[in-house]
Amino acid sequence: MSDPSLIRAVKGMNDVLPDAMPRWHRVEAAFRETARRYGYGEVRTPLVEPTPLFVRSIGEATDIVSKEMYTFVDKGDDMLTLRPEGTASAVRAYLEHAVHGQEPVSKWYYLGPMFRRERPARGRYRQFWQAGLECFGDSGPQIDAEMIEMVVSLLASLGVQDLEVLVNSLGSRDTRARYREALRSYLSPHEARLSEESKQRLVTNPLRILDSKSPVDQEICASAPSILDMLDDADRAHFDELTATLGALGTKFRVEPKLVRGLDYYSRTLFEIQGKGGELGAQNALCGGGRYDGLVKELGGPDVPSIGFAMGLERILLALPNEASARSLDAMVVVAEPSLNVKAAVMLKQLRSAGLTAEGDLRGQSMKSQLRRAEKLGARTVVILGGAEEARGVVQLKDMRVRHQQDVAHDAVVAAIRARLALEGASHDGAAR
Ligand code: HAM
């Protein structure tokens, strides 16, 4: 039994320990690099915002606002919320700094934790990480297609297999209102058979019934009217050009008229990328996004058409192929006896100042145990300081891959390690060819 007095992390909120980090860093670096290539600059907004920001943008009837927000009153009696997503904060910052007056189009990206009090499951957490993009000032549809193509390319470059891209259009606000009523009229005669949650949604948010997981709800929805049949001419033209551009870019997609997504600010283009591979279970939405042409105005700004998306980093990691993720260590410094510890500390400084990753184990362990540790840490080379070698002004440099060992003068150690690493790189390239 574990000790009940131990304080544990909050349910649904996870630690990420250093061994897991290389995979996180790989995904984050790929995202940042892709965003940079497509012209996006990073924005960092606070983790806490005034509650009305989320209520007004995401929508009162949504699950996020009605059930999942971490909201509290602070000591100054302000009602604050831990951000459940990044779009509302980005729009707030965009307006607060009057960015619309400075440039016609702004392309922003962000990366950070979000908070939703959902039921924890594999791929669904109460604190989770999102990487997202927001583009303000371009009404599309080419930018819509570019964004979808960008995420698909990013995921492919990371090796995420078995993707499905779903696209839909919600039309304008008026279209959505008309569709809501059409859906309500269609569903009302079936009300008695609907799940309890959908019965409630029939009143508050009927569109969300379309993505109910209940088999009976799904069967009822199978013959529901399609929003695509209700689009006006301008919305239809936008959607047709989006799908034509995606075709020209070679991005495979499926039109899914039942895709609605759980945030109220969307209009027109909507998309979601679902994964099937890796360890992903039921939480297979890797990323979701869409247009929110009315939101900037709704929050008190000018009419600025906008589109964005966000992907869940934990879900991307679950979808990634499993690969060894050993931390890389260029050199491990090993001492024959503790009297050489000061010399080892100086050697470690020398290696690290030269840009090498280096570790030492100066706890007075035996040579055998230090070498075992070098093996465990995946050290490519080992620098051994011994009494006799010190007297001659040399160290022994061991190449852990080919088990080659040589004497090297103190001031030549960095160059000798670099040469060993370069040899290894060359033989890797050779193997890859
Ligand atoms: P969202 O669909 O709510 O959209 O979230 C985007 C992605 O975040 C999801 O596809 C999923 O990968 C991940 N995610 C959401 N909730 C959780 C959770 N509880 N645990 C783990 N991962 C989760 C938005 O947040 C919009 N702000 C996206 C957007 C940006 N639309 C326009 N601009």
Side-chain angles (χ1 to χ4, degrees):
M1 270 302 277
S2 55
D3 180 352
S5 69
L6 260 186
I7 297 175
R8 297 179 176 281
V10 175
K11 188 172 166 192
M13 305 199 182
N14 301 308
D15 301 308
V16 184
L17 299 183
D19 275 348
M21 266 310 165
R23 301 178 91 226
W24 282 77
H25 286 165
R26 194 161 82 77
V27 174
E28 290 168 13
F31 172 74
R32 283 182 194 282
E33 171 53 23
T34 307
R36 191 191 62 76
R37 263 191 287 128
Y38 283 72
Y40 289 78
E42 183 174 2
V43 60
R44 294 190 186 179
T45 58
L47 264 61
V48 178
E49 297 275 4
T51 305
L53 174 67
F54 300 118
V55 177
R56 274 171 60 191
S57 49
I58 299 170
E60 210 140 3
T62 60
D63 284 354
I64 297 180
V65 170
S66 64
K67 304 186 212 161
E68 297 167 358
M69 294 206 304
Y70 284 94
T71 295
F72 59 98
V73 179
D74 85 344
K75 299 227 162 64
D77 280 343
D78 290 318
M79 180 85 95
L80 304 177
T81 296
L82 291 183
R83 64 180 185 192
E85 57 107 50
T87 310
S89 305
V91 173
R92 187 217 22 85
Y94 178 79
L95 287 175
E96 191 163 334
H97 301 278
V99 183
H100 48 88
Q102 300 158 35
E103 54 188 21
V105 175
S106 305
K107 293 168 104 178
W108 291 2
Y109 81 83
Y110 51 85
L111 221 157
M114 307 291 161
F115 304 84
R116 296 183 194 174
R117 203 174 186 290
E118 295 192 72
R119 196 166 47 77
R122 176 193 289 278
R124 188 173 60 209
Y125 311 103
R126 291 180 171 177
Q127 176 182 306
F128 58 98
W129 284 69
Q130 272 189 354
L133 297 183
E134 312 294 346
C135 174
F136 302 103
D138 188 332
S139 61
Q142 272 71 40
I143 190 79
D144 308 19
E146 177 187 279
M147 197 172 270
I148 297 171
E149 178 275 323
M150 170 184 167
V151 202
V152 172
S153 301
L154 168 65
L155 293 174
S157 76
L158 285 167
V160 181
Q161 313 275 350
D162 289 336
L163 295 178
E164 188 165 41
V165 180
L166 309 180
V167 298
N168 191 20
S169 174
L170 283 185
S172 61
R173 192 165 273 243
D174 285 352
T175 307
R176 230 164 104 175
R178 278 190 293 123
Y179 182 61
R180 197 174 294 125
E181 283 324 305
L183 201 57
R184 215 173 251 143
S185 313
Y186 167 80
L187 289 170
S188 292
H190 302 281
E191 182 172 351
R193 289 176 63 223
L194 286 174
S195 65
E196 283 313 307
E197 193 168 35
S198 292
K199 275 185 193 140
Q200 290 219 329
R201 283 180 167 161
L202 196 53
V203 184
T204 56
N205 200 354
L207 264 65
R208 287 309 303 281
I209 300 177
L210 294 176
D211 51 29
S212 160
K213 297 256 187 309
S214 138
V216 177
D217 290 356
Q218 285 179 359
E219 181 206 312
I220 294 170
C221 289
S223 325
S226 162
I227 190 154
L228 292 176
D229 293 333
M230 301 186 92
L231 296 184
D232 65 24
D233 290 349
D235 293 338
R236 183 82 233 176
H238 187 279
F239 188 61
D240 288 346
E241 205 166 325
L242 163 68
T243 54
T245 312
L246 282 175
L249 294 174
T251 302
K252 294 201 176 67
F253 63 94
R254 177 162 69 80
V255 174
E256 176 48 78
K258 292 200 171 59
L259 179 70
V260 287
R261 304 191 19 76
L263 302 109
D264 275 0
Y265 49 59
Y266 290 123
S267 57
R268 288 197 166 167
T269 306
L270 207 57
F271 64 96
E272 188 164 288
I273 301 184
Q274 299 183 345
K276 299 191 185 71
E279 297 174 38
L280 266 184
Q283 312 307 320
N284 65 348
L286 295 176
C287 96
R291 224 165 230 294
Y292 47 95
D293 288 345
L295 184 59
V296 176
K297 193 163 181 200
E298 176 91 21
L299 291 179
D303 212 348
V304 179
S306 315
I307 181 166
F309 87 93
M311 61 190 206
L313 291 190
E314 288 88 350
R315 292 192 192 172
I316 304 289
L317 288 165
L318 285 171
L320 276 187
N322 261 324
E323 74 223 13
S325 68
R327 274 186 282 170
S328 85
L329 187 61
D330 297 329
M332 175 92 183
V333 174
V334 162
V335 288
E337 52 198 69
S339 64
L340 294 166
N341 276 358
V342 174
K343 289 231 154 60
V346 174
M347 175 61 72
L348 281 166
K349 179 182 170 188
Q350 187 185 332
L351 300 180
R352 289 167 179 156
S353 309
L356 297 169
T357 51
E359 272 291 349
D361 185 344
L362 309 180
R363 298 172 302 157
Q365 304 287 300
S366 69
M367 278 273 277
K368 202 166 155 201
S369 131
Q370 292 176 66
L371 286 167
R372 252 204 318 267
R373 184 110 194 277
E375 196 98 51
K376 190 135 186 261
L377 293 177
R380 263 98 55 93
T381 63
V382 174
V383 177
I384 304 170
L385 307 190
E389 285 83 3
E390 278 305 307
R392 288 192 287 126
V394 299
V395 299
Q396 281 179 48
L397 179 65
K398 185 168 175 176
D399 185 323
M400 295 293 274
R401 211 169 51 86
V402 292
R403 304 276 154 189
H404 169 275
Q405 196 155 323
Q406 67 185 121
D407 281 357
V408 179
H410 268 220
D411 56 3
V413 173
V414 168
I417 293 175
R418 285 223 175 95
R420 287 277 142 204
L421 298 180
L423 267 183
E424 193 181 324
S427 71
H428 272 319
D429 289 351
R433 245 179 258 128

